[in-house]
């Protein structure tokens, strides 16, 4: 078991087999982590710290250092990613900017050593050995099964995207200058050792990545060395820098991160690639990406990813205003003439808006289903698919017994399904009635996770709002008879379960 855990401190150093059971089968090296459930995974991930303690004392508050003198964790971490993995990965077609960055910290500044186009292993190794450059590998969960397995469970646990980067740094070298990130960071030390220094945040819970000059950040608040099997957590906004000690072998660590901000300008590269732009433009964008993504784990287009209260408010307010305006004529009244032409907002307009906000707040108190404009859908579109050890086609092919009115059914892949209410998105429907949307990630592509997904349409189903109670029954029951679903007709009940079965979201038990 882990030797010690403490706040980061000063110092040195029967019928068809259910599909769910199939895809959860573990493979690979023996793991000290518990993959039976998302909560079990997280608790074992931060062991021996308890989850309740972590969120009460550390999450978004202060760093946590877990140093483990545990061969099981050390061996397992080392299996997640090694320097030797780069050769085979490069043969699969990796590209600078998208997949790999090469950089050094020189006199407190970051120097990017990326070449153009495809990454060749020999050149990569030459830069590593001769220029003492750090190799940053973006989103290894696309290729490394065990990281996919971990991050998929963490996405279920957090309800937020979880990305990762691998950093490989030679002895006596540092890849990045002091900086802070827009993500909650978990550092897993895989190979060798790395010396870390953390500093007081200048922007707590920062929403963007930023470099910090060393003469502005003061003395470190924490200093320690990570060894294989160790874990470090720190909140977004924590200023940090890390270097591999002299005289030792290289260091490899992976950052696993979540709660990313929506600031993603330069990663619209798949979209730009479809435009007829001068040849220099995509190269310029890639260069920008290399500079901006030194520590950023997500290479996704600009979408609302951060589950912060501010983002959640922005996501729900438009639907709330839409619903309220249908019922209250005051919100449908026009604004004063020439209001948009005025340089300053008038006191009358400010008072009117304040009154509307108080009215919306009162209405919100009695709302059970908050409309979500984007966040739920974006999460479903961009997250990892369920971890699967076999043919993924089986995951999205209906199987088992066909559901009927006399069947008992249960929801499967519950952690990969979101339910939301919104206006009908069918352009032929001019009434824009509310619909229930069921989005899922079963058909998502692991290979594009966190690097830009051209698939913008979510996978899922839509139902009339009258189906909401029946859907809640399915969500809240371990199993339920189709006959007991709260729908008016047997035909509606059968059509509902058949639609969900076709999407592989329910099974007959």
């Amino acid at each position: 078991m882990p030797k010690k855990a403490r706040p980061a401190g000063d110092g040195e150093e029967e019928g068809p087999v259910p599909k769910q059971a199939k895809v959860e089968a573990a493979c690979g090296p023996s793991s000290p982590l518990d993959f039976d459930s998302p909560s079990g995974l997280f608790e074992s991930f931060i062991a021996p710290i308890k989850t309740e303690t972590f969120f009460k004392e550390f999450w978004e508050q202060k760093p946590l250092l877990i140093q483990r003198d545990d061969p099981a964790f050390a061996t397992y971490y080392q299996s997640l990613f090694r320097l030797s993995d780069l050769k085979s990965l490069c043969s699969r077609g990796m590209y600078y900017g998208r997949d790999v960055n090469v950089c050094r910290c020189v006199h407190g500044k970051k120097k990017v050593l990326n070449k153009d186009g495809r990454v060749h292993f020999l050149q990569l190794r030459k830069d590593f050995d001769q220029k003492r450059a750090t190799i940053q590998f973006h989103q290894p969960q696309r290729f490394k099964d065990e990281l996919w397995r971990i991050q998929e469970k963490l996405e279920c646990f957090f309800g937020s995207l979880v990305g990762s980067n691998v950093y490989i740094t030679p002895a006596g070298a540092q890849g990045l200058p002091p900086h802070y990130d827009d993500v909650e960071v978990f550092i897993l030390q895989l190979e060798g050792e790395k010396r870390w220094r953390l500093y007081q945040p200048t922007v707590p819970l920062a929403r963007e990545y930023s470099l910090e000059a060393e003469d502005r950040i003061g003395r470190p608040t924490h200093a320690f060395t990570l060894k294989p099997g160790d874990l470090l957590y720190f909140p977004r906004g924590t200023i940090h820098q890390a270097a591999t000690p002299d005289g030792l072998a290289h260091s490899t660590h992976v950052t696993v991160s979540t709660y990313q901000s929506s600031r993603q300008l330069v990663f619209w590269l798949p979209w730009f690639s479809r435009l007829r732009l001068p040849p220099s433009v995509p190269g310029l964008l890639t260069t920008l990406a290399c500079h901006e993504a030194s520590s950023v784990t997500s290479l996704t287009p600009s979408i609302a990813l951060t589950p912060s209260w501010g983002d959640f408010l922005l996501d729900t307010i438009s639907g709330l205003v839409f619903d309220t305006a249908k019922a209250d004529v005051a919100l449908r009244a026009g604004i004063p003439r020439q209001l948009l032409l005025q340089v300053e907002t008038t006191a009358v307009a400010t008072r009117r808006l304040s009154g509307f906000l108080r009215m919306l707040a009162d209405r919100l108190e009695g709302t059970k289903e908050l409309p979500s404009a984007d966040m739920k859908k974006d999460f479903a579109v961009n997250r990892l698919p369920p971890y699967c050890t076999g043919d993924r086609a089986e995951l999205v092919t209906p199987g088992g017994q066909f559901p009927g009115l006399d069947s008992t059914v249960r929801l499967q892949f519950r952690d990969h399904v979101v339910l939301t209410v919104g206006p009908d998105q069918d352009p032929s429907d001019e009434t824009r009635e509310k619909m229930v949307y069921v989005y899922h990630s079963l058909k998502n592509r692991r290979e594009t996770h966190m690097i830009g997904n051209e698939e913008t349409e979510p996978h899922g189903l839509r139902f009339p709002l009258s189906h909401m109670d029946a859907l809640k029954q399915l969500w809240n029951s371990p199993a339920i008879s189709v006959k007991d679903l709260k729908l008016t007709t047997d035909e509606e009940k059968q059509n509902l379960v058949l639609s969900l079965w076709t999407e592989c979201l329910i099974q007959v038990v």
Side-chain angles (χ1 to χ4, degrees):
M1 291 300 294
K3 182 179 180 182
K4 53 184 175 179
R6 63 174 188 268
D10 297 335
E12 300 297 316
E13 326 300 320
E14 221 170 300
V17 176
K19 280 200 172 83
Q20 188 82 1
K22 270 189 178 180
V23 301
E24 296 296 340
C27 65
S30 176
S31 171
L33 303 182
D34 176 7
F35 289 94
D36 288 343
S37 68
S39 58
L41 183 278
F42 186 74
E43 184 125 336
S44 62
F45 188 70
I46 61 169
I49 296 295
K50 297 299 183 183
T51 300
E52 181 181 2
T53 301
F54 175 77
F55 283 101
K56 183 179 179 179
E57 298 182 12
F58 299 99
W59 176 254
E60 296 188 332
Q61 298 171 64
K62 61 184 179 182
L64 168 67
L65 171 64
I66 301 177
Q67 293 182 305
R68 300 174 171 124
D69 186 10
D70 185 343
F73 266 99
T75 300
Y76 178 67
Y77 276 17
Q78 288 168 359
S79 73
L80 297 178
F81 199 104
R82 298 182 176 92
L83 173 62
S84 57
D85 291 330
L86 287 173
K87 186 174 183 179
S88 62
L89 287 169
C90 287
S91 69
R92 299 172 67 167
M94 302 295 113
Y95 288 84
Y96 286 102
R98 184 192 71 180
D99 304 301
V100 172
N101 278 340
V102 180
C103 58
R104 283 188 62 198
C105 178
V106 181
H107 303 303
K109 297 185 180 297
K110 178 185 174 185
K111 183 176 181 180
V112 178
L113 304 175
N114 284 4
K115 307 299 186 292
D116 292 328
R118 186 166 175 168
V119 178
H120 297 281
F121 175 72
L122 291 179
Q123 179 64 56
L124 198 63
R125 190 63 200 246
K126 181 179 178 181
D127 289 339
F128 181 79
D129 291 334
Q130 297 181 9
K131 297 182 179 180
R132 300 169 65 213
T134 289
I135 301 169
Q136 177 191 26
F137 193 91
H138 297 148
Q139 310 306 332
Q141 72 277 6
R142 295 176 291 150
F143 310 102
K144 302 293 287 184
D145 288 351
E146 198 66 9
L147 285 172
W148 172 22
R149 188 183 181 201
I150 292 170
Q151 290 175 231
E152 179 255 321
K153 274 288 188 287
L154 289 176
E155 287 189 336
C156 295
F157 178 78
F158 283 109
S160 173
L161 297 185
V162 175
S164 66
N165 277 344
V166 165
Y167 297 86
I168 309 175
T169 304
Q174 181 171 336
L176 301 171
H179 65 280
Y180 60 79
D181 298 310
D182 57 349
V183 283
E184 299 295 306
V185 175
F186 297 86
I187 308 291
L188 282 62
Q189 185 66 26
L190 310 184
E191 296 181 306
E193 298 181 5
K194 202 149 200 180
R195 172 76 175 165
W196 286 81
R197 286 175 286 171
L198 310 183
Y199 304 81
Q200 189 71 27
T202 55
V203 184
L205 300 184
R207 291 178 58 84
E208 58 185 16
Y209 165 88
S210 179
L211 296 174
E212 288 284 5
E214 190 136 18
D215 58 0
R216 293 182 53 215
I217 59 179
R219 295 176 58 83
T221 56
H222 311 85
F224 45 81
T225 298
L226 293 185
K227 300 180 180 181
D230 292 348
L231 180 145
L232 167 66
Y233 159 80
F234 52 81
R236 54 195 187 275
T238 302
I239 302 170
H240 57 279
Q241 60 179 321
T244 305
D246 286 314
L248 298 176
H250 68 273
S251 163
T252 304
H253 77 264
V254 61
T255 64
V256 177
S257 54
T258 190
Y259 276 57
Q260 174 114 40
S261 80
S262 57
R263 178 204 55 83
Q264 301 298 335
L265 168 64
V266 299
F267 303 119
W268 283 93
L269 298 180
W271 180 77
F272 274 99
S273 68
R274 296 197 296 270
L275 301 180
R276 295 182 179 180
L277 298 173
S280 61
V281 173
L284 173 61
L285 291 172
T286 300
T287 301
L288 285 170
C290 298
H291 284 275
E292 288 292 314
S294 61
S295 254
V296 175
T297 60
S298 173
L299 304 182
T300 45
S302 182
I303 51 179
L305 298 180
T306 307
S308 71
W309 284 112
D311 291 287
F312 191 58
L313 179 61
L314 287 172
D315 188 57
T316 58
I317 197 74
S318 60
L320 186 62
V321 172
F322 180 83
D323 291 344
T324 306
K326 288 169 60 176
D328 195 317
V329 67
L331 277 174
R332 303 199 299 271
I335 62 175
R337 292 185 307 104
Q338 299 187 341
L339 179 62
L340 301 181
L341 299 176
Q342 296 174 11
V343 176
E344 295 182 352
T345 305
T346 66
V348 172
T350 301
R351 285 196 300 270
R352 191 71 179 228
L353 286 172
S354 298
F356 286 141
L357 288 173
R358 283 189 287 270
M359 179 178 67
L360 291 172
D362 291 339
R363 183 181 177 93
L364 186 61
E365 292 288 341
T367 301
K368 291 184 178 180
E369 282 95 28
L370 286 173
S372 173
D374 294 303
M375 289 181 73
K376 285 188 174 184
K377 180 172 66 175
D378 289 339
F379 178 46
V381 168
N382 290 282
R383 63 179 299 189
L384 282 164
Y387 174 72
C388 178
T389 59
D391 185 359
R392 283 203 64 237
E394 295 184 11
L395 196 67
V396 294
T397 304
Q401 186 178 339
F402 190 86
L405 194 60
D406 296 323
S407 301
T408 297
V409 297
R410 70 180 177 192
L411 189 69
Q412 58 179 2
F413 302 109
R414 184 186 308 271
D415 293 326
H416 283 265
V417 187
V418 296
L419 198 65
T420 188
V421 175
D424 194 346
Q425 297 171 10
D426 185 350
S428 66
D429 185 359
E430 296 182 358
T431 62
R432 300 282 286 172
E433 293 296 326
K434 278 188 177 181
M435 303 290 287
V436 184
Y437 291 89
V438 179
Y439 300 124
H440 66 81
S441 58
L442 273 62
K443 298 177 184 178
N444 288 4
R445 296 181 59 222
R446 165 198 181 189
E447 295 80 9
T448 59
H449 185 243
M450 301 294 280
I451 65 160
N453 190 350
E454 294 185 24
E455 266 186 42
T456 57
E457 290 302 314
H459 303 294
L461 301 162
R462 65 174 186 163
F463 300 98
L465 191 60
S466 58
H467 285 48
M468 175 60 90
D469 286 343
L471 288 164
K472 287 181 177 179
Q473 286 178 284
L474 288 163
W475 253 254
N476 297 328
S477 305
I480 189 169
S481 170
V482 176
K483 287 182 179 178
D484 293 336
L485 292 174
K486 293 180 181 180
L487 288 168
T488 305
T489 67
D490 289 346
E491 182 181 9
E492 286 179 319
K493 298 173 183 180
Q494 288 182 300
N495 287 341
L496 173 62
V497 296
L498 180 57
S499 297
L500 294 169
W501 179 82
T502 301
E503 287 287 304
C504 304
L505 299 180
I506 64 168
Q507 63 179 174
V508 178
V509 294

